[in-house]
Amino acid sequence: MTKEELSMAKELCEKATPGPWNFQCKCHSELNEYQIEKGHLRFALIGPSLQDFEDAEFISESRTMLPKALARIEEFEALLVEGFHLAGEAKKRIE
C-alpha cells in the first residue's frame, strides 16, 4: 500500500461507526438475508447466497481487523526507521 492508501484507509476507519460490527442471518422461509449491524443500527442487507454470507462476514470483521492491521503497519514502519537509524549510527562508529 502507498502512503496515500494507508492514509485513506485510516481516515475511512476514523469516519465509520465504531466497531465491532456484527452480522446475522435474517431467515424468512427460503430467503435468507444477511444483515450487518451494530446494536440497533443496520448498515447493510445482503442477499441470500452462501457467497453473500461470506461477504457479510468479511465486511463485518473488516471493521475491527482493518484498524488493527493499520496500527501494525505503523508499528513496523517505525521499527524499520529505527533500524535504519541504528544501522547508520553503527556504520559511523565502524568507519
Side-chain angles (χ1 to χ4, degrees):
M1 292 180 91
T2 66
K3 294 265 185 205
E4 292 79 21
E5 290 170 327
L6 287 170
S7 179
M8 187 171 104
K10 190 173 182 180
E11 185 177 331
L12 287 171
C13 290
E14 291 168 355
K15 288 181 178 179
T17 301
W21 293 357
N22 302 304
F23 75 99
Q24 61 183 351
C25 178
K26 296 293 185 184
C27 300
H28 307 284
S29 63
E30 293 182 19
L31 177 64
N32 296 330
E33 297 175 320
Y34 303 101
Q35 183 170 301
I36 299 170
E37 61 189 17
K38 177 174 180 161
H40 66 281
L41 298 174
R42 182 172 70 184
F43 303 115
L45 195 58
I46 300 173
S49 75
L50 176 59
Q51 184 62 52
D52 295 326
F53 171 84
E54 292 167 347
D55 289 346
E57 182 178 29
F58 175 79
I59 293 166
S60 176
E61 294 300 327
S62 293
R63 179 62 189 103
T64 303
M65 288 184 201
L66 181 57
K68 288 179 182 180
L70 293 171
R72 292 289 288 173
I73 290 169
E74 287 179 349
E75 281 179 47
F76 290 134
E77 285 180 337
L79 288 172
L80 221 90
V81 167
E82 183 179 340
F84 282 127
H85 175 73
L86 292 173
E89 291 297 316
K91 185 178 177 184
K92 287 179 189 174
R93 289 183 183 185
I94 292 171
E95 296 172 343

